[in-house]
Amino acid sequence: MPSRSAIALIVAFWLATLGFAFYREVWPRLMASGPPPLAIDLAEEASPNVSVKWTIYRGDHKIGRLTTHMSYDDRDDTFRQTHEYHQLEFTFQDAMVRVPQLKLTTRVNRAGELREQTMDGKLVVELSVGKFEAEVTVHGTVSEGVFSGRCVMKSPLGDIDQALDPAPVPTGQALNPLLVMNRINGLRGGQSWRVVEIDPLGDAVAALVNGQMAKLGLPTFQPQREPIFARVSASPEPLLWNGEEHECWVIEFRGRDAKAKTWVRVRDGKVLRQDAFGMGERLTIERND
């Protein structure tokens, strides 16, 4: 059995990795359970071929930056959405987690169905017993409705190069308004729909984490699956952004233990801000330009 300090470091690292280093349980990646009621035009998103920059806050304190980008690949008629987190820094229980860079790439077909997902990043975890750095790459593809992939980790606690357990992937659009999008079109007051959490990459990594925990004699866990309900505000609401008020549709997502809001400017469909509330925390991602 490893020492208590080694176990603490391992647990802290795996919790950060499982959460993609960013409070996964507060701001989960979600997908609509049926045909999405909102229009996310992939071709329109990819056509400007520009990156959008965002600032990430925990409460009123800046904790990092995010850059998003959508591109089109004419070789296989697919779209790639990239989320790059920069200089994330937050506390998780007694650990200080620093993420110099973390990149999540999602590839979907023209219908928006998931085809490939990759997470690549570097973590620094600091505890009272010490500090260590680790590099992680998780990559997987979808074939015949099943997500299969591999996790490679390099750290002072040992290296891992292991296949992920296959995870089923339901059909349907893999991008939705709770992901940080550049633009959302087609909103109207009072729209509502039911959302369920579908995260094949997260499910596969969770299975790997449980395997590592079991080897250490530590308790395992199962990702929570709870229904989340979304509703668009009955009428536009004002949002102070960049020193000016903007009329926005507000999409509110509510679950048992957390809620989130997405602010979409009425005149052009641009997403200006996203808020998430849960576990006594408020996280905000705000557009810079």
Side-chain angles (χ1 to χ4, degrees):
M1 173 71 70
S3 67
R4 292 176 64 89
S5 61
I7 290 176
L9 285 170
I10 292 171
V11 171
F13 170 75
W14 279 110
L15 285 175
T17 302
L18 180 61
F20 301 138
F22 190 57
Y23 289 96
R24 178 177 179 273
E25 294 305 324
V26 177
W27 203 319
R29 299 190 172 275
L30 303 174
M31 187 178 103
S33 58
L38 307 180
I40 298 175
D41 192 322
L42 297 173
E44 180 179 317
E45 286 285 300
S47 60
N49 199 29
V50 296
S51 298
V52 182
K53 298 185 183 301
W54 312 75
T55 301
I56 305 169
Y57 298 91
R58 178 185 183 189
D60 296 324
H61 301 286
K62 178 181 175 180
I63 63 170
R65 296 178 288 113
L66 169 65
T67 301
T68 60
H69 182 79
M70 179 79 80
S71 61
Y72 173 68
D73 191 338
D74 60 4
R75 293 173 299 180
D76 56 5
D77 193 30
T78 59
F79 297 85
R80 293 178 186 273
Q81 185 180 44
T82 303
H83 291 72
E84 285 194 66
Y85 297 92
H86 308 274
Q87 302 303 320
L88 277 173
E89 182 176 308
F90 57 89
T91 55
F92 190 94
Q93 296 181 356
D94 294 328
M96 170 63 73
V97 180
R98 306 181 194 276
V99 186
Q101 184 173 5
L102 187 145
K103 183 177 181 180
L104 178 67
T105 302
T106 302
R107 182 170 66 89
V108 299
N109 62 15
R110 188 169 289 273
E113 296 172 328
L114 183 65
R115 287 293 173 263
E116 180 181 13
Q117 204 164 29
T118 300
M119 184 191 73
D120 186 19
K122 180 179 180 180
L123 304 179
V124 180
V125 179
E126 297 182 11
L127 289 171
S128 59
V129 296
K131 179 180 80 171
F132 80 103
E133 299 182 1
E135 295 181 0
V136 181
T137 298
V138 183
H139 174 259
T141 57
V142 177
S143 177
E144 298 181 352
V146 177
F147 180 91
S148 302
R150 196 165 195 87
C151 177
V152 178
M153 181 191 79
K154 296 182 180 180
S155 81
L157 298 176
D159 297 343
I160 291 178
D161 186 346
Q162 185 172 331
L164 300 171
D165 290 347
V169 180
T171 58
Q173 185 162 308
L175 302 179
N176 91 334
L178 205 57
L179 289 170
V180 181
M181 301 295 298
N182 173 38
R183 194 185 303 266
I184 300 174
N185 296 316
L187 288 176
R188 65 178 186 274
Q191 279 177 295
S192 63
W193 63 96
R194 181 179 181 272
V195 178
V196 294
E197 183 181 0
I198 300 174
D199 184 4
L201 190 148
D203 290 342
V205 173
L208 178 59
V209 171
N210 278 332
Q212 299 297 317
M213 295 294 195
K215 289 179 182 179
L216 296 173
L218 298 173
T220 60
F221 63 95
Q222 295 296 325
Q224 297 297 311
R225 292 290 184 267
E226 64 172 275
I228 294 179
F229 298 91
R231 178 178 292 276
V232 180
S233 56
S235 58
E237 299 180 14
L239 172 70
L240 184 63
W241 178 76
N242 277 356
E244 297 181 4
E245 273 198 357
H246 298 262
E247 289 295 301
C248 295
W249 293 113
V250 181
I251 310 171
E252 184 171 8
F253 299 85
R254 285 189 174 272
R256 182 183 57 193
D257 300 319
K259 67 176 183 178
K261 291 184 176 181
T262 298
W263 300 76
V264 183
R265 191 159 60 188
V266 172
R267 65 180 172 87
D268 58 6
K270 279 189 175 182
V271 176
L272 301 185
R273 174 174 172 149
Q274 291 187 326
D275 294 314
F277 309 86
M279 297 190 295
E281 297 277 4
R282 174 172 61 88
L283 297 177
T284 298
I285 296 182
E286 188 168 84
R287 190 187 194 102
N288 291 346
D289 50 14

